[in-house]
């Protein structure tokens, strides 16, 4: 099926690694033009080299999504070079392994800032361009934690719930401008986040065995962590103009983790 993304302009935050990188790759495969950002220039260069994108269809910029001016510059550059913006994927970020007793006030502030600025700054920057598109779509990368909190990730769970709530409001507010807003809620996806945690844990257990134990411990029905490519398919589907009647909802890509039916 032709997803109708060829020639479309999509902004993906945090595209130098993991889910963002897989999404950029899937969009380029569909013929889209993609702008992506991250904080680390070397990581972005490495991603560009791995993507080997056809010249002129990939734009990268060093940009922290918490900095509204930097995000404005990044999105404006993408719109000017590519002639507009049709889609936005708010993906940049990471989770914070903190519980009630070890989360400091700074942890709470930083986590809420990252999660909310990570959606609102790119949205504010892209909104005029999205409103001018005939197939505008915003996808917020979220986590199933938004619906089933984990106390060991208390700040992230609370922030994620807020973002799910915000996504619903945005879908209503922006419908009049023809902008659809949806979420993709992740379970445990095998990316840099988990390789870093495995290295930090220093258990001596192989990464494969550690992952299998993790999936069992967290009750992942499919018995394994997901792959970033498996998330990218869901994101690309929601970005497609063919999803024109889907807004204010979401897709869980989580291997059946947990028991929530919402
Ligand atoms: P990775 O660490 O592999 O990738 C994160 C990407 O975001 C990198 O490109 C990173 O680049 C960029 N990034 C991080 N912070 C910022 C920032 N402040 N400004 C701009 N770019 C930033 O993580 P994942 O692919 O696993 O995560 C993607 C999203 O999915 C995140 O929001 C994460 O919280 C969410 N998620 C992931 C889960 C998982 O199991 N993997 C589970 C649930 C949710 P750089 O560091 O150079 O800035």
């Amino acid at each position: 099926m032709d997803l109708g993304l060829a020639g479309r302009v999509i902004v993906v935050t945090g595209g130098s690694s993991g889910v963002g990188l897989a999404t950029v790759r899937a969009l380029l495969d569909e013929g889209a033009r993609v702008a992506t950002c991250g904080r680390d220039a070397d990581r972005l260069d490495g991603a560009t080299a791995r993507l080997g994108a056809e010249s002129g269809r990939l734009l990268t910029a060093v940009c922290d999504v918490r900095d509204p001016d930097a995000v404005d510059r990044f999105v404006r550059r993408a719109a000017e070079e590519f002639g507009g913006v049709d889609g936005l994927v708010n993906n940049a970020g990471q989770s914070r392994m903190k519980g009630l007793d070890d989360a400091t006030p700074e942890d709470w502030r930083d986590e809420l800032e990252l999660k909310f600025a990570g959606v609102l700054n790119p949205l504010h920057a892209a909104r005029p361009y999205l409103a001018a598109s005939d197939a505008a779509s915003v996808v917020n990368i979220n986590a199933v934690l938004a619906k089933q909190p984990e106390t060991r990730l208390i700040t992230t769970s609370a922030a994620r719930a807020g973002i799910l709530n915000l996504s619903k409001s945005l879908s209503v507010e922006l419908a009049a401008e023809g902008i659809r807003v949806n979420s993709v809620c992740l379970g445990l996806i095998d990316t840099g986040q988990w390789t870093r945690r495995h290295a930090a844990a220093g258990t001596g257990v192989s990464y494969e065995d550690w992952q299998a134990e993790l999936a069992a411990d967290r009750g992942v029905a499919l018995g394994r962590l997901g792959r970033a490519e498996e998330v990218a398919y869901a994101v690309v589907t929601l970005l497609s103009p063919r999803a024109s009647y889907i807004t204010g909802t979401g897709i869980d890509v989580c291997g059946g983790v947990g028991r929530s039916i919402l």
Side-chain angles (χ1 to χ4, degrees):
M1 181 192 287
D2 178 4
L3 293 176
L5 286 165
R8 295 282 182 187
V9 181
I10 313 293
V11 173
V12 180
T13 64
S16 58
S17 165
V19 168
L21 178 60
T23 301
V24 172
R25 183 178 285 121
L27 288 165
L28 290 170
D29 287 349
E30 291 297 321
R33 291 171 292 167
V34 185
T36 194
C37 71
R39 294 163 301 175
D40 186 285
D42 290 342
R43 236 196 310 259
L44 277 173
D45 288 346
T48 305
R50 262 177 291 158
L51 288 164
E54 205 178 286
S55 163
R57 285 207 292 123
L58 177 65
L59 178 158
T60 62
V62 173
C63 166
D64 188 322
V65 291
R66 292 168 296 186
D67 178 346
D69 294 334
V71 174
D72 262 348
R73 284 193 297 276
F74 160 55
V75 173
R76 197 171 340 110
R77 197 180 132 211
E80 285 171 1
E81 288 195 20
F82 289 148
V85 176
D86 301 293
L88 169 65
V89 182
N90 290 316
N91 163 77
Q94 59 190 29
S95 59
R96 190 174 297 259
M97 196 62 91
K98 292 277 175 158
L100 181 62
D101 293 334
D102 58 348
T104 63
E106 288 72 30
D107 285 320
W108 281 102
R109 190 199 57 220
D110 291 350
E111 185 66 356
L112 293 171
E113 184 198 6
L114 173 63
K115 295 299 183 294
F116 282 88
V119 170
L120 292 170
N121 287 340
L123 177 70
H124 286 315
R127 184 174 174 182
Y129 306 108
L130 291 167
S133 168
D134 63 353
S137 173
V138 176
V139 178
N140 293 324
I141 302 301
N142 207 319
V144 290
L145 289 177
K147 296 180 277 190
Q148 40 191 44
E150 286 188 26
T151 52
R152 65 190 132 194
L153 285 153
I154 198 165
T155 61
T156 299
S157 296
R160 288 299 190 193
I163 292 301
L164 198 60
N165 185 292
L166 174 67
S167 295
K168 189 72 176 176
S169 295
L170 293 176
S171 71
V172 175
E173 284 284 316
L174 299 176
E177 295 170 35
I179 303 171
R180 297 183 293 107
V181 183
N182 292 292
S183 305
V184 171
C185 291
L186 313 187
L188 282 69
I189 309 299
D190 180 12
T191 65
Q193 296 213 32
W194 293 107
T195 49
R196 286 193 295 272
R197 272 185 206 158
H198 171 253
T203 55
V205 177
S206 75
Y207 184 53
E208 290 67 31
D209 290 347
W210 185 81
Q211 269 195 36
E213 283 170 23
L214 185 65
D217 176 59
R218 301 291 172 89
V220 182
L222 294 182
R224 64 173 175 84
L225 269 61
R227 295 186 295 276
E229 296 72 28
E230 293 175 304
V231 179
Y233 296 137
V235 177
V236 167
T237 300
L238 291 170
L239 288 170
S240 166
R242 289 188 179 266
S244 51
Y245 204 52
I246 303 178
T247 196
T249 187
I251 300 175
D252 291 356
V253 182
C254 65
V257 74
R259 301 186 62 80
S260 162
I261 56 169
L262 296 176

